[in-house]
Amino acid sequence: MRRKDNTGRAAVVEVMRNTLTIRDCIENPDKTATIRDYIAAGRDQYGMQTFDQHITDLYNQDVIDFETAKSAATSPADFELSVRIH
């Protein structure tokens, strides 16, 4: 993503670790849709993060601006709400 200070770009990454729960979600098609929730919940314990969590971090660290972050978010409305709450 374009950096706020126009000095280049910042990488935004999603991190998923192969935990037993994630493995179960991958193997069981009925649970595959819950992977994103487990990634978000596993942030502190496993170092996982969703794309949107990282976008929010970069915005909060003043690396990217609000409009850039919002336009790239999976759910712009959820991003805007999370920024306003915190």
Side-chain angles (χ1 to χ4, degrees):
M1 300 185 129
R2 185 180 45 81
R3 296 177 64 91
K4 185 176 181 178
D5 61 7
N6 290 317
T7 60
R9 297 191 173 271
V12 181
V13 296
E14 184 164 89
V15 178
M16 179 178 71
R17 303 236 185 244
N18 187 15
T19 65
L20 291 175
T21 303
I22 294 293
R23 188 176 309 143
D24 183 46
C25 290
I26 292 170
E27 291 172 352
N28 185 340
D30 295 334
K31 296 181 180 180
T32 302
T34 63
I35 291 174
R36 185 177 183 280
D37 296 332
Y38 284 115
I39 293 171
R43 187 169 209 192
D44 293 332
Q45 185 174 2
Y46 299 109
M48 296 191 280
Q49 69 184 11
T50 65
F51 185 78
D52 288 349
Q53 284 174 320
H54 197 201
I55 287 173
T56 302
D57 290 346
L58 292 172
Y59 170 73
N60 289 334
Q61 295 164 2
D62 208 31
V63 175
I64 59 176
D65 66 30
F66 180 81
E67 289 304 320
T68 300
K70 184 179 173 183
S71 69
T74 304
S75 170
D78 288 346
F79 168 77
E80 189 168 359
L81 181 62
S82 74
V83 168
R84 289 182 187 204
I85 290 173
H86 298 101

